[in-house]
Amino acid sequence: MPIHSPPSCRSNSRSPGSSFIADGAGRQLWDNRYGNLRGDRRHQLKLYGFYNFNWNGTIGAYGVYQSGQPWETWNVEVYREYTSSSSDTSRYAEPAGSRTTDAHHQLDLSYTQNFPFGNRFNIQLRGEVFNVFDNQTGYNIQNKFNSAEFGTPRSYFRPRRFQLTVAFQF
């Protein structure tokens, strides 16, 4: 009877949980993988404040600033003499995080009005504006050099939006 290894022990670069690291030219640990990682935000500032009015109303503000998202070019051509592959995927052509997206800032505002009645009931109206300045900064850059979309954002922060809420509290 032949001995088979369990599926988790088999070598298959496309199996769940595998990575591209060490899977050929340009994908080795020493191939430009040093530098700032994609999730690194060097500078981030968050501010929150509110004020309670004497007429059962509250105004609030939340502001955020964060530096841009690091990214780098992936390009198989840098490793052409070592591979016949045509895939740019995970082939760092420059040190990790060599480039960054634009910084992002956003301001959210809210107003809450309470209408108490009886001894224990309240109707609450709340209006909120998110991303007041409609700052739709791009991130998640297409970093594959041989793509038609190279250098363009694939994701954007959400546009300005409004939300109205009515709540009955008891």
Side-chain angles (χ1 to χ4, degrees):
M1 176 183 249
I3 299 174
H4 297 284
S5 61
S8 61
C9 297
R10 292 183 190 147
S11 175
N12 181 350
S13 64
R14 299 206 188 271
S15 67
S18 69
S19 76
F20 289 113
I21 295 179
D23 278 353
R27 293 182 174 153
Q28 303 299 325
L29 290 173
W30 51 83
D31 291 328
N32 285 320
R33 292 183 187 277
Y34 51 87
N36 297 324
L37 299 177
R38 179 182 176 90
D40 183 25
R41 296 291 193 280
R42 290 282 162 94
H43 306 96
Q44 192 169 47
L45 175 67
K46 297 177 182 180
L47 297 172
Y48 172 74
F50 67 94
Y51 182 78
N52 290 321
F53 296 107
N54 58 4
W55 59 79
N56 292 324
T58 302
I59 192 166
Y62 172 76
V64 65
Y65 165 86
Q66 64 185 27
S67 56
Q69 179 186 45
W71 68 283
E72 66 287 324
T73 301
W74 293 358
N75 186 353
V76 70
E77 297 306 321
V78 173
Y79 305 96
R80 177 54 56 216
E81 65 183 291
Y82 308 111
T83 184
S84 60
S85 174
S86 61
S87 174
D88 285 339
T89 301
S90 197
R91 289 196 163 95
Y92 288 41
E94 58 192 355
S98 294
R99 305 164 189 240
T100 56
T101 62
D102 293 335
H104 176 73
H105 63 276
Q106 183 171 322
L107 176 67
D108 301 338
L109 299 174
S110 70
Y111 180 79
T112 304
Q113 182 64 54
N114 290 299
F115 298 98
F117 63 94
N119 289 335
R120 52 178 252 195
F121 299 106
N122 185 51
I123 293 180
Q124 185 178 76
L125 300 177
R126 182 175 176 98
E128 296 169 295
V129 181
F130 301 99
N131 198 359
V132 171
F133 302 113
D134 201 23
N135 190 4
Q136 298 177 50
T137 308
Y139 64 99
N140 189 20
I141 301 299
Q142 172 54 271
N143 59 350
K144 294 179 182 177
F145 185 76
N146 292 302
S147 167
E149 301 291 317
F150 173 72
T152 60
R154 292 180 283 187
S155 304
Y156 293 87
F157 283 90
R158 294 182 69 181
R160 180 186 309 122
R161 61 194 191 282
F162 303 91
Q163 178 174 298
L164 295 173
T165 308
V166 177
F168 176 70
Q169 300 170 328
F170 56 94

